[in-house]
Amino acid sequence: MSSQPLGPLPDRSSLQTNAILLIVLGFVCGGTIPAIFGIIALVKIDNDPVAAQKMNKVGWIMFWVMLGLIVLCFVGALLFNVLMLGAISLPLILGG
């Protein structure tokens, strides 16, 4: 049993579009966890649209968190490589 939403629900096609986008972008960019939430939201659209909306929202939050972590790891690895390359090449540049 679900409680009623505080605001009006988006229409079915909007929920369905968001869930499909979450599935595709979740598998491509954010890992499998957001995509799983998108699949659950897509399955629940007809029976329980409130739960589908919540799953969709949680999936998008997970997507952005995971995408942010991926970007942070990429920037960290890039920075580490630049610093290590600089530390290795510094004696060569200084003539040591």
Side-chain angles (χ1 to χ4, degrees):
M1 177 150 189
S2 299
S3 62
Q4 291 298 321
L6 297 176
L9 282 176
D11 58 334
R12 184 186 187 283
S13 64
S14 175
L15 272 174
Q16 188 175 14
T17 303
N18 279 330
I20 291 172
L21 279 174
L22 181 60
I23 293 168
V24 172
L25 291 176
F27 278 128
V28 171
C29 301
T32 57
I33 295 174
I36 291 172
F37 278 102
I39 292 170
I40 293 171
L42 195 59
V43 169
K44 290 185 173 249
I45 285 176
D46 290 330
N47 298 335
D48 194 2
V50 175
Q53 186 180 20
K54 287 180 185 177
M55 288 292 165
N56 207 2
K57 185 176 182 178
V58 169
W60 280 112
I61 291 170
M62 292 294 295
F63 171 77
W64 288 111
V65 167
M66 292 182 82
L67 188 64
L69 288 174
I70 289 170
V71 168
L72 280 176
C73 287
F74 179 74
V75 169
L78 184 66
L79 185 63
F80 178 76
N81 287 332
V82 167
L83 290 176
M84 292 310 288
L85 181 64
I88 290 171
S89 63
L90 187 61
L92 297 173
I93 294 172
L94 294 177

